[in-house]
Amino acid sequence: MQDYELLRVLDVQPLGSRQEPDIFLGPAMDTEVFVRTFGGHLAAQALAAAARTVGVDKQVHSLHSYFLAGGDAEQDTTYTVRRIRDGRSFCTRAVEAHQGDTLLYTMTASFHHDLDKGPEHAEVLPAVPAPGGLPADGPIPSGVPGAEQDFREWDIRVVPANENDREPATVSGRSVWFRFRGGLPDSDALHATALTYMSDMTLLFSSLEAHPGYGAQLASLDHAIWFFRPVRVDGWLLYRQSSPSAGAGRALTQGRIFDASGALVALVVQEGLARQLREGATQVPMRS
């Protein structure tokens, strides 16, 4: 397996002792543009740490989290996992992410054995252009200038606004195709964690689609994901993003993720800071 940067950052390492076994170290980003730790980086490493304490018979079906402080993108992060519940069908983990004495991020994740039977239905893939006909290697609409340098392992293609089959109720939003450029191990847990990594990229910035040129300070506040079906991030995925409401310096965003066969594999909801910029400030912290 090639030495991918994604696999390096998702490989959290145990630090715990016999008395406190569930402590893990997450490697820092190898970044050229980020000053603060990318939110998807924290979320993915926290999920990876939680999954290390869960048996292979259960996979994550949901996570709910809060970003509490900005991290240093060039520092490693420590993750402490608490085993909240272990049941026959479900287990629950709580995770805290620290850099030094600073609490950056908290997550609660639930895992399920996925053997239960019940009614089944799902939304279908929206009518948007296929990725093969869209421009490759363009800028990523994330609010982070040059972000494509740090996401060079990903093929990200934005559906033009005039070709986005937008629902009438959608005020602001976009559709983005993405996939990992290389081949990854056939592991449900790994691909769910990689999807978590990418779920924060471009989502909050979609709230400004209806406000071209508006100067807003952007930062993720909370983040939730529901995982419906196994996913493979080295195949094409459509990230259908929308923002149903913004006000008081905050914006709510949501995203539905479909695979190329049309299956709805995950749903993401995030509220973020979208506060009017002070004069001379930038949307996100920038390297000097």
Side-chain angles (χ1 to χ4, degrees):
M1 183 60 61
Q2 188 171 337
D3 293 332
Y4 294 121
E5 172 67 7
L6 176 69
L7 295 180
R8 184 188 72 83
V9 300
L10 296 184
D11 186 21
V12 297
Q13 294 297 311
L15 288 178
S17 61
R18 181 172 299 179
Q19 292 75 26
E20 295 183 285
D22 297 334
I23 302 175
F24 301 88
L25 184 67
M29 303 173 68
D30 180 12
T31 179
E32 297 182 27
V33 297
F34 283 85
V35 174
R36 290 181 180 169
T37 309
F38 170 52
H41 183 100
L42 289 173
Q45 289 188 337
L47 178 59
R52 292 284 293 267
T53 72
V54 176
V56 295
D57 61 316
K58 296 181 179 69
Q59 297 295 329
V60 64
H61 73 89
S62 69
L63 64 85
H64 304 261
S65 62
Y66 284 91
F67 298 94
L68 304 177
D72 183 341
E74 296 183 334
Q75 285 191 28
D76 294 343
T77 305
T78 301
Y79 298 87
T80 302
V81 180
R82 288 191 296 124
R83 304 188 184 211
I84 304 300
R85 178 177 182 268
D86 283 292
R88 287 180 297 178
S89 299
F90 293 88
C91 64
T92 307
R93 299 292 185 262
V95 188
E96 292 186 346
H98 287 84
Q99 286 183 347
D101 295 329
T102 302
L103 176 60
L104 305 181
Y105 175 79
T106 64
M107 170 189 288
T108 303
S110 182
F111 298 76
H112 183 218
H113 63 37
D114 205 25
L115 298 176
D116 293 331
K117 301 299 182 182
E120 295 189 14
H121 66 266
E123 292 185 29
V124 297
L125 185 74
V128 298
L134 298 175
D137 301 320
I140 299 174
S142 65
V144 182
E148 52 275 6
Q149 299 175 62
D150 284 359
F151 287 82
R152 56 191 172 273
E153 293 182 340
W154 297 87
D155 190 343
I156 301 172
R157 305 189 185 193
V158 181
V159 176
N162 62 345
E163 298 186 67
N164 188 7
D165 182 22
R166 186 174 297 167
E167 305 96 316
T170 299
V171 175
S172 183
R174 71 164 66 87
S175 294
V176 179
W177 287 99
F178 71 92
R179 67 174 175 181
F180 192 73
R181 294 183 186 274
L184 295 173
D186 186 20
S187 161
D188 288 347
L190 172 66
H191 284 264
T193 305
L195 185 72
T196 300
Y197 185 89
M198 286 300 289
S199 67
D200 188 41
M201 174 53 64
T202 77
L203 182 57
L204 182 56
F205 197 64
S206 69
S207 67
L208 298 183
E209 191 77 5
H211 310 277
Y214 190 94
Q217 180 186 357
L218 299 175
S220 302
L221 297 175
D222 61 23
H223 198 75
I225 308 175
W226 291 264
F227 302 85
F228 302 130
R229 293 163 183 83
V231 62
R232 291 296 178 266
V233 300
D234 46 8
W236 282 113
L237 297 167
L238 178 70
Y239 201 174
R240 176 78 157 190
Q241 303 169 349
S242 63
S243 177
S245 181
R250 303 187 313 275
L252 184 69
T253 54
Q254 57 190 9
R256 290 164 289 163
I257 302 177
F258 301 83
D259 66 20
S261 74
L264 179 65
V265 297
L267 187 148
V268 186
V269 177
Q270 180 183 92
E271 187 177 36
L273 186 69
R275 184 166 54 197
Q276 185 173 355
L277 275 180
R278 300 186 306 272
E279 186 176 353
T282 58
Q283 283 189 326
V284 296
M286 302 291 296
R287 291 183 180 272
S288 56

